[in-house]
Every structure is written in structure tokens, then in C-alpha cells.
Amino acid sequence: MKKFLPVEELARDERFVRVPIEERFMDKRKMPEDIRKQGTRFEAQSQQGPENARGLMHGIMMGEVQALEGAGRTAFDFADDEDTPYELRLDMARQCWDEARHVEISMKLMEHMGVEVGEFSESTFLYEAACNPDPVLRLTGVNRGLEGLAIDIFTSMRAFGQDGGDPIMEYCEDFMLADEVTHVKMGSNWLRRLTEGDKERLDRALEFQRVIDGLFSLGGLRGDDDESPIKLARDFRRLAGFTDEEIEGVAEQAHQVAVNSGLVKDGDADEDGAGMAVGYG
Amino acid sequence: MVEFDGARIREIAESVASKVGLPEEFDLKIEIDETVPLGRIEPIEVSDSGARVKVESGAIEDPKKPRGLSESGTELAFGMLMMRVMDWVNPDFKFDGTVGEQLPVGMSIAWNTYSAGRLSRLGFERARKARYLYLWRNRHGFNDIADEAFEKIWSGEPQSWPEIVAICDEIKDQVAATTG
């Protein structure tokens, strides 16, 4: 079997359409002022909250598929690498088991929300982050960066379920959230163990995570600002091995992305950054 | 800002008008706001002889092709807005709202349910019941009483706005009676 499978070779049927992340950043349309304050929030009683949640759930399902593919690849790609401990690959095998379950849960939730597979496009950024040739960078980028984002999203979706009185959403998100905390913790543990005494590798891994955190703050939708519909889940991040300083770093970075995308205002920041549209039809 | 073909949008609008039975003499103006990625549809003027409606670009955008036109999505969006306009000007429907007045979200989704149910029966592929049931449950409750009310409205049982309002009001009363 081929090792280091490029993203173009992931198996998909005709229902799935991929949209490069650059496409989304090219969108010059802007959120109206009134929506900046209310419309993008995931509140069950808001005009667009449930519709936005439908699109997000499709994105979550695709993320779970790619997380399964990424963890499986990491378990396999480094099978002959003597510097990659067997226990790391065992952790990845366990993560595959979790991600497969998450795909099934997400599919059921989509059915519950009236979302069809392939109704929305697929972004492949999660798998692309899982293609790094250094397993430490993979785990840092995916398990700490993107699975950290998953913690924030699942916490927000769980709150959305509570807000709308939807027990199916609330409990499903809670089950998945528990697994995600474990996945992030795996990333934190392996980052510490494999970079012990190797500051340069540690710095490269953390820089890779910063790039991923910045790129995937979802145009400012994920952050600590009042306007951010997906909040930074600080408590769960601490449980997953993030230090307070690291959490502040993610929050500050997300704030800058939100300012640049026009979601929040900040007189000192660069106003020319690219925005990300959230459409629903 | 978007890659929409105005002529194609017009063709779709004409086709939808024919399917839903919008009278030919009714002067409907649809203005697409290309600057906003959201999907809101708002009537700006409504009278017995015509209407002007603003549609944000996200309402007719292809969710799988950023800034591209979705033919089936445009059909659905136009079908929904035409159903609503036809209800609005139908004296038997007895809608007493005014342009610019924001309906409570629960009532807005009730009207959408009423419209989508009829579009579904007319063969609009994107008017899928499961989607509207989910949107309905978020506003009216995840319980059997709310689901029964949804079925009534989806199936077109009510004939007027006051009947739709009454069905929604009954949900609260029945849930209160059940839970004490």
C-alpha cells in the first residue's frame, strides 16, 4: 500500500465536491452590520442559527472522515520509522476507532437535521495538515490545532442543542467532545515526549500549529470575542494539556483574524485582511 | 462579486412563476444583493398588483461552488418568495402584517413550512421535509405535539394566517398542559 498518500488521491464518490480553501478567502462579500452582532451566532431561536448549524454539521462530518484518514495514515506511514514509537501508532489506531464512530454519529445527526451527504462542499484542510512528513508536526497540527478547533466547535454545538431543547444534538456532541479532549491530549503528550531535548523541533511544531490555528479560526467565527459564534472552550483545552499561555495565544490570534475579516472592530488592526463568507440558502 | 447569470435567473423566475401559479399580470421585481453572502429574502413593497423583493446572494448560491448560481436553490428561493407574496395579497389568507415588520422567528418558520410543503407537492426537489422539520423543531420544540402541528401546516391543512397562528399557539398550550 502506498505511503504518504496525497490529498488528491483520497477516495470519494460523485456526491463529494471539494472546494480549495483559497476559494473561500477570495470571497469579497461582507457581512451586513446587523448580522455581525447577531446573525452568525449559533442560537436556536435566531433567524439563521439552525440553518448555519446544518452547514456546520456537514463540515464536521467531513472533518471526521478526514480525521479518520489522517490518523490511519499516521499509524501506517511511520510503521517502519524507528524514531516513531509503537505507542504513538497505537494511539493513532485508537483514534481511528473514535473517528469512525464520530463519522457514524455525524451522519445520524445530519439525518436528524435534514442534511444530505454532499449537500455542501468539502474542504480538505484537515487531511492536508495530516500530510506533514514529520509525525510530531502532524500530531501538533492535527491533534492540537484542528482537534483543538473541534473541541471549540463541539462545545458550541452542544450549547446550541441545549439552547434549542434538542437532546439528540446535546448528547451526541457531548460524547464526541469527550473523545476530542483525549485526542488533543495525545497531541500534547507526544509533542512533549518526542521533542524532549530538541528545541528546534519543538519550535517548528509549535509554529506549524500557530499557522494552522490562524488559518482555521474560520475567518474569526472561532474566538473569544462577543461576536464569535464558536467560543474558545478554555476549560476543555486545559483538560487537553494546553497551558493558559497557549490558550491566550490562540485567543489573540483568533481575535486578529476576526478583526481582519471584519467580524469585529479594532482600530489598531489591519483592515485589509481577507474575509470568509458564511452563506446559507 | 458573484458569478450569476442574470438572464438565467430571469428564466428560472419565469419558470417558477408558472409552476406556482403566479398570475402573469402580477408585476414581481426580484433584486439580487450581490454584496451580501447571506440568504435573507425580504419584501420591500407588496401590493395587489405587484411586489418588490430583495434577495441576498447566499439564497441562490451553490453551496458546493462558492459565488456560483444554484439552479435548484434558486428555484426553491423564488418558489418560497412567490408563495409568500401570493399568500400576502390573497384576501382569504387574511395576513395582517406590514412590509418591514419583522415576524417572530417561530411564525416566520411556520410560514416557510406552509410554503415549502406546497412547493414539495409541486415537485420542487429542494423543498425537503426533513430540513423544514428540523428548522421547525428548533423554534417550536422537539416533541410530539410540535411534530403534529408541523404535519398540519406542511400538509396545507390551514387555509389562512389566523389558522396558522392558532396552530402555533396551541403547541404552547398543549405542552404546558402536558408538563403541568
Side-chain angles (χ1 to χ4, degrees), chain A residues 15 19 23 29-30 32 34-35 44-47 50-51 113 116 118-119 121 160 164-166 278-281, chain B residues 1-2 34-40 57-59 61 63-64 66-67 102 105 108 128 130-131 134-135 138-139 142:
Chain A
R15 290 173 298 177
V19 175
E23 266 288 318
R29 293 173 296 175
K30 294 285 184 192
D34 58 326
I35 290 296
Q45 292 296 324
S46 71
Q47 189 74 38
E51 200 63 88
M113 300 166 88
E116 294 189 345
E119 184 173 337
S121 60
F160 178 81
D166 180 355
V278 180
Y280 34 78
Chain B
M1 288 186 173
V2 291
E34 297 184 358
T35 65
V36 178
L38 304 180
R40 294 176 295 183
S57 63
E61 182 178 12
K64 295 201 272 194
R67 303 185 305 286
Q102 197 75 35
V105 177
S108 178
R128 293 196 302 266
R131 171 186 178 186
Y134 178 69
L135 301 177
N138 267 286
R139 278 53 176 253
F142 286 79

Side-chain angles (χ1 to χ4, degrees), chain A residues 246-260:
Chain A
E246 286 173 332
I247 294 170
E248 287 306 326
V250 176
E252 176 54 31
Q253 198 174 16
H255 173 70
Q256 282 303 315
V257 173
V259 170
N260 289 342

Side-chain angles (χ1 to χ4, degrees), chain B residues 120-175:
Chain B
S120 172
R121 287 187 290 283
L122 287 171
F124 283 66
E125 60 165 299
R126 288 279 296 275
R128 293 196 302 266
K129 192 174 182 179
R131 171 186 178 186
Y132 289 94
L133 177 60
Y134 178 69
L135 301 177
W136 169 273
R137 284 171 167 172
N138 267 286
R139 278 53 176 253
H140 294 282
F142 286 79
N143 56 63
D144 292 347
I145 294 166
D147 281 6
E148 280 174 30
F150 173 85
E151 284 297 335
K152 283 183 190 171
I153 294 178
W154 180 266
S155 66
E157 188 180 305
Q159 299 293 314
S160 68
W161 182 245
E163 287 175 56
I164 292 173
V165 173
I167 289 171
C168 293
D169 286 344
E170 276 172 28
I171 299 171
K172 287 177 226 152
D173 295 343
Q174 287 187 37
V175 169

Side-chain angles (χ1 to χ4, degrees), chain A residues 16-30 55-56 58-60 62 66 118-125 128 215-216 218-219 221 261 273-280, chain B residues 1 37 61-68:
Chain A
F16 299 92
V17 173
R18 289 181 193 162
V19 175
I21 191 82
E22 310 85 72
E23 266 288 318
R24 298 183 190 280
F25 284 105
M26 282 165 60
D27 198 334
K28 298 298 179 200
R29 293 173 296 175
K30 294 285 184 192
L56 180 60
H58 192 276
I60 290 172
M62 295 311 312
Q66 289 172 38
E119 184 173 337
F120 300 92
S121 60
E122 176 185 13
S123 298
T124 51
F125 61 77
E128 285 173 62
L215 272 175
F216 304 114
L218 305 179
L221 295 182
S261 69
M276 179 184 278
V278 180
Y280 34 78
Chain B
M1 288 186 173
E61 182 178 12
D62 188 340
K64 295 201 272 194
K65 186 174 180 292
R67 303 185 305 286

